[in-house]
Amino acid sequence: MPIRKLFNKIPNLIMTLKPCLMMSPLSVSQFLESDCYQFDTVIFDEASQVKTENAIGAIFRGKQIIIAGDSHQLPPTNFFEVSATENEFDSDIEEEDLPLDTSILEEAIFLPSRELLWHYRSRHEHLIAFSNAKIYKNRLVTFPANKDKVPDWGVEYIYVKDGVYNGEGISRGNVKEAEKVAEEVFNHIRNYPDRTLGVIAFGV
């Protein structure tokens, strides 16, 4: 039996067995019939990433709502939903031109709010230091790690001379930085053959 039909037949049993459900906003609309399910509280986490139109169904099923998110984080975007095509590099659309959608966090600006100031998730205090200074005006309470300055540990800034983004032509990238990244990958393999490595590129 499809989950939607099953949930529709046994709403009281579901809520008795699992009074707390963790679902995406779209899953709520897809699997929980609005006339069968009502929750005391609906909580949105990472609300800056939740499109308003996707949140309506979950809001409708709750008596009260808690919206948790950070307005300094990126709003919802279709960037990662765009599929690569053969003409990907022939397009005149720049990454910055892709539309950003309104989040439920922005829509809830009129609701009472409370700012959470303890930051405990970073494995090292330096990881949040820049954001704390430049974005949160040093209001965050951070906690020191048991290791401070250790070679090859934590965040390291590597300056690349003439590393300039080229937004025209086929390359549309930063060749000098890409070469430096490749060089660091090989250094990592030579120096730490037993460690894994992840490379994150901020672009298509």
Side-chain angles (χ1 to χ4, degrees), residues 18 22 26 72 75-76 85 111-112 120 137 167-168 172 204:
K18 298 289 182 183
M22 184 170 66
L26 286 177
H72 297 296
T85 64
L111 294 176
Y120 56 88
K137 310 303 181 188
E168 299 178 359
R172 291 184 62 185
V204 177

Side-chain angles (χ1 to χ4, degrees), residues 3-204:
I3 293 177
R4 179 186 176 90
K5 287 187 177 180
L6 175 64
F7 278 28
N8 194 26
K9 286 180 177 292
I10 55 170
N12 294 332
L13 179 59
I14 291 290
M15 296 303 293
T16 301
L17 294 174
K18 298 289 182 183
C20 178
L21 300 181
M22 184 170 66
M23 310 173 73
S24 71
L26 286 177
S27 295
V28 171
S29 299
Q30 184 176 358
F31 296 119
L32 306 181
E33 290 285 351
S34 59
D35 56 349
C36 297
Y37 288 89
Q38 273 291 309
F39 295 89
D40 295 315
T41 305
V42 172
I43 302 174
F44 287 94
D45 191 21
E46 300 290 352
S48 67
Q49 290 292 311
V50 180
K51 296 179 182 179
T52 304
E53 62 268 26
N54 294 343
I56 298 299
I59 293 173
F60 183 74
R61 290 162 175 78
K63 297 176 183 177
Q64 65 176 347
I65 182 173
I66 296 174
I67 300 174
D70 188 343
S71 60
H72 297 296
Q73 294 182 352
L74 286 175
T77 175
N78 295 323
F79 178 77
F80 295 105
E81 298 174 11
V82 176
S83 59
T85 64
E86 295 179 3
N87 299 324
E88 179 180 345
F89 295 105
D90 294 333
S91 173
D92 292 332
I93 300 177
E94 294 289 338
E95 295 169 25
E96 293 80 7
D97 295 335
L98 291 171
L100 297 174
D101 294 304
T102 303
S103 73
I104 187 63
L105 185 64
E106 294 175 87
E107 299 288 359
I109 194 70
F110 62 91
L111 294 176
S113 64
R114 173 173 294 180
E115 190 172 10
L116 305 180
L117 297 177
W118 282 25
H119 177 85
Y120 56 88
R121 297 179 68 179
S122 293
R123 294 287 298 274
H124 200 288
E125 196 173 16
H126 293 171
L127 292 171
I128 194 63
F130 179 85
S131 295
N132 193 16
K134 300 298 182 181
I135 297 175
Y136 302 105
K137 310 303 181 188
N138 287 313
R139 293 195 309 272
L140 294 182
V141 177
T142 60
F143 299 91
N146 60 348
K147 295 181 180 179
D148 187 19
K149 294 182 179 178
V150 181
D152 298 317
W153 184 273
V155 178
E156 182 181 355
Y157 173 70
I158 300 175
Y159 175 72
V160 179
K161 187 178 181 180
D162 300 326
V164 179
Y165 174 77
N166 177 20
E168 299 178 359
I170 296 177
S171 64
R172 291 184 62 185
N174 191 323
V175 176
K176 293 290 184 182
E177 282 191 1
E179 291 172 349
K180 183 61 177 176
V181 170
E183 179 185 325
E184 291 298 321
V185 169
F186 284 108
N187 287 337
H188 178 92
I189 293 170
R190 282 190 292 267
N191 297 328
Y192 307 103
D194 296 328
R195 288 189 190 177
T196 58
L197 175 68
V199 178
I200 302 170
F202 293 96
V204 177

